[in-house]
């Protein structure tokens, strides 16, 4: 997701990465995230989804290459589950 698309998306929660292991990252947040919530990770806005909640720690599965992510990078929630709009030609 580009920065301009991220600005148009209502962000419900935000946090900061503190742990990275391949496509899985953990972030801390004082704001509530929900299970299966779509999130944007890092400055590039990588597509991801919340897979675990544990107090103020949120575990996130990133669906893109995480090379270049660093502790301290932002995580922004979308307030809704990950979804894809389908049309007649895609079914």
């Amino acid at each position: 997701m580009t920065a301009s698309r991220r600005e148009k998306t209502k962000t419900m929660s935000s946090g900061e990465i503190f742990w990275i292991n391949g496509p899985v990252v953990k972030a801390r947040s004082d704001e509530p995230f929900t299970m299966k919530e779509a999130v944007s990770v890092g400055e590039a806005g990588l597509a991801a989804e919340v897979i675990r909640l544990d107090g103020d720690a949120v575990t996130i599965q990133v669906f893109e290459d995480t090379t270049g992510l660093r502790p301290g990078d932002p995580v922004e929630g979308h307030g809704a589950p990950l979804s894809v709009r389908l049309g007649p030609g895609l079914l």
Side-chain angles (χ1 to χ4, degrees):
M1 180 179 293
T2 64
S4 61
R5 282 189 62 203
R6 192 172 36 218
E7 290 171 4
K8 293 178 185 176
T9 304
K10 184 178 180 185
T11 301
M12 303 302 290
S13 305
S14 63
E16 191 174 275
I17 295 173
F18 71 89
W19 181 89
I20 305 166
N21 187 6
V24 178
V25 301
K26 291 185 181 182
R28 290 209 197 290
S29 175
D30 292 332
E31 302 170 1
F33 280 86
T34 59
M35 284 297 295
K36 299 186 179 183
E37 181 176 356
V39 295
S40 297
V41 177
E43 296 299 328
L46 302 176
E49 179 180 47
V50 173
I51 59 171
R52 183 175 183 193
L53 300 169
D54 186 17
D56 68 343
V58 181
T59 304
I60 299 165
Q61 171 72 52
V62 181
F63 301 119
E64 301 182 57
D65 184 18
T66 59
T67 301
L69 284 180
R70 302 278 183 259
D73 282 350
V75 173
E76 298 179 356
H78 294 249
L82 187 63
S83 63
V84 177
R85 187 175 300 221
L86 297 177
L90 298 174
L91 296 177

